[in-house]
Amino acid sequence: MGLAIIFSGQGNQHKQMFARFQSELDLSLIKTVEKNISCQLLPEITLDDNDFFSNQYAQPIISSYEYILWQTICDKLPEPVAVAGYSLGEITAIAAAINLELNELLNLTKTRASFMATSKPSGLMAVSGIRSNEIDLILAKHNCYLAIKTSEQSFIIGGYSEGLLQLEAELKSLPGMLSIHSLKVSVAAHTPLLTDKVAPFASIFNNYSHKLLNLRVVSGTNAAVQYSTSAAINAACSQLAQTINFDRVVNVLVELGATTILEIGPGKAIQNIVHKLNPRIKIRSIEDFRSLSEVVEWVSKMEETNSY
C-alpha cells in the first residue's frame, strides 16, 4: 500500500470544525490559533459568515485545522509516498513536509491572505459539462482564466465580475447540460490577476527554504514532484497566479505508488473529485470519521488489504 495525503482548500469550512475531534486534539495548539487570530474556536468558531469566509480568517483557520489534525495522527500513520494540497492546502502540505511551527504557518497564511486582499475585487466560478479545448476559446473573449482544472470537463474559472457575468451568459446559451455556479470568494486566485503577488509572497515564504523537506510534495501547477524545500515553496507561490492542474496531481500520486488517499481538511470536496477521476483509489475524507483513532484504523486496514 502507498498512502498519500491531500490537504484541502477553502470553501467547505464550517464553524464546528475544531469541535469534531476536540477530545483528541492538543488544546494548547488550539489556544495558539485563538490567540493569533483573536477568535474563539470552541465549541464553535465565533465569527459571522462574512468574516468566516473572508481570506483574512479562512486561510489561517483552515490551514491551522489541517496542521493540528496532521500533527495529531502523523506518527500513527505509515510514511506517505507524497503530500499535496488543493489551492491553500498546498501551503499546509509544505508546512507538514518541513515541520513548520504552528505560529509560523499562521503568520504565513495571514500574509498570503493580506496580499490577496490588496487585489482588485474579482471572483471564481465553477463550471462543468464542457471540454477544456472548448472552454479555452470562450474564456479569452471575456478576459477570464482557467484557475483550477479538476477533470477534462470540470473547472474553476477566474476573472473580474463583468467578465464572469458575460461568460456565464454565453455558457448558458450553449447546448448541453452545463453546471455553473459562483463561489464564495472575492479574489480570482490561480489566475494572472494575481501575478504581482507572487514575488512578495515568495520573498517571505523563502525564509523557510533552509528547512529540510522530509516528505515529497506534488505541486499543483505542473504536478511536479518536489525534492527540495525551495522548489516546493517557489511552486506554491507561483500557483497564486497559475492554473492548478489537480487532475494531473492525482495521476502523479498514483504513479508514485499511492493506492490510498486521506483528505485532511474541512468537507469532502477532494474525496468527491478523486472518486470521479479514479474510482479504484481508496480515498476518505478525515471528516468521514467520528474520531481520529478511526482514521488511523482505516488507514491500517487499507495497508493490510493492499499487502495481499
Side-chain angles (χ1 to χ4, degrees), residues 3 52 70 78 86 97 130 144-145 160 206 219 221 245 248 255:
L3 172 67
F52 187 49
W70 168 251
Y86 183 92
I130 182 172
C144 292
Y145 306 91
Y160 294 125
N206 270 300
S219 298
T221 52
N245 291 286
R248 290 173 56 192
E255 290 169 5

Side-chain angles (χ1 to χ4, degrees), residues 250-267:
V250 175
N251 290 338
V252 168
L253 290 174
V254 172
E255 290 169 5
L256 291 172
T259 55
T260 301
I261 295 177
L262 176 63
E263 174 186 1
I264 297 181

Side-chain angles (χ1 to χ4, degrees), residues 58-73:
Q59 294 196 22
I61 287 174
I62 293 168
S63 61
S64 62
Y65 172 66
E66 296 172 346
Y67 173 94
I68 292 171
L69 292 176
W70 168 251
Q71 289 296 324
T72 304
I73 64 173

Side-chain angles (χ1 to χ4, degrees), residues 213-231:
L213 192 73
N214 298 295
L215 298 168
R216 293 185 293 191
V217 177
V218 179
S219 298
T221 52
N222 56 6
V225 182
Q226 307 298 349
Y227 295 92
S228 74
T229 302
S230 60

